[in-house]
Amino acid sequence: MSAENGKNGTPDTLPGPRPEPLRFYGTTWVHHDSGYTARRAGLAVGSLVLAAAACFVLRVAYQGLQIADIGSFVTLLMIVMFAVCSALAFRHTWSGFTTRPDPDRQASLRGLLAIGFVGSLLAYFLRTFTEAPGEKLHRAEYEKAREEYERRTTRRTGNPSKKRRRK
């Protein structure tokens, strides 16, 4: 059932496959309309602010460890853990914008991604300079689906039984 736009009963959307909505963007990434640019700018600033706030929280945690005087080894271990987890989260998030992540691997990395959330926020921030994060992947999938739909629904003209045979 399709929605009608009130003009002679014509549908609002094209028949066939629908674009998959992106988080925070919906389907505005298809035609870059409805405040797409403002959303990209706002989300870039928002992810950078969140990353800075997260670094501040980590700094407070680090100062808490210094006050507790638990030793340099544990302090160093915490710093290395957050740095490595952030780097791995950055790489995983960045690659997730161009390829579909494996759901099993995604589930197994959930804890690591939670610890390295700063890396994920920075990847999101950097990606918004070129596109909506994941737009390239979704656009390729959507255009492929549209092509296949067009190929399936294109009809031949004429009666194929009256076609002349070549000798």
Side-chain angles (χ1 to χ4, degrees):
M1 198 183 312
S2 64
E4 294 181 0
N5 65 7
K7 298 177 186 171
N8 300 326
T10 57
D12 275 338
T13 59
L14 297 172
R18 304 246 190 290
E20 186 177 343
L22 289 174
R23 180 181 294 161
F24 304 121
Y25 292 92
T27 57
T28 61
W29 60 269
V30 177
H31 300 293
H32 294 186
D33 58 353
S34 301
Y36 170 83
T37 307
R39 286 182 195 197
R40 261 184 55 195
L43 288 168
V45 170
S47 62
L48 186 61
V49 167
L50 281 174
C55 287
F56 176 75
V57 169
L58 290 176
R59 172 73 179 157
V60 170
Y62 174 76
Q63 287 175 341
L65 290 176
Q66 282 184 325
I67 292 170
D69 195 28
I70 58 172
S72 61
F73 177 72
V74 175
T75 303
L76 179 68
L77 193 63
M78 187 197 85
I79 292 170
V80 169
M81 177 197 62
F82 274 107
V84 168
C85 288
S86 290
L88 291 172
F90 180 92
R91 177 68 182 125
H92 180 76
T93 303
W94 191 265
S95 67
F97 295 141
T98 55
T99 58
R100 290 272 179 186
D102 178 32
D104 295 332
R105 185 169 184 261
Q106 185 84 4
S108 67
L109 291 176
R110 187 169 289 135
L112 181 127
L113 294 174
I115 294 169
F117 63 97
V118 174
S120 293
L121 288 169
L122 291 176
Y124 199 90
F125 167 71
L126 292 175
R127 191 56 161 202
T128 55
F129 285 119
T130 57
E131 65 175 7
E135 177 182 347
K136 186 176 183 180
L137 172 67
H138 284 76
R139 187 171 301 284
E141 290 174 351
Y142 177 63
E143 287 175 357
K144 182 179 177 188
R146 292 289 315 164
E147 278 179 22
E148 289 174 0
Y149 174 78
E150 293 297 327
R151 206 174 318 124
R152 281 193 318 264
T153 58
T154 303
R155 295 200 169 41
R156 290 182 281 170
T157 57
N159 187 346
S161 66
K162 293 183 179 180
K163 187 176 177 182
R164 286 187 181 178
R165 302 276 181 203
R166 290 187 179 180
K167 292 183 183 184

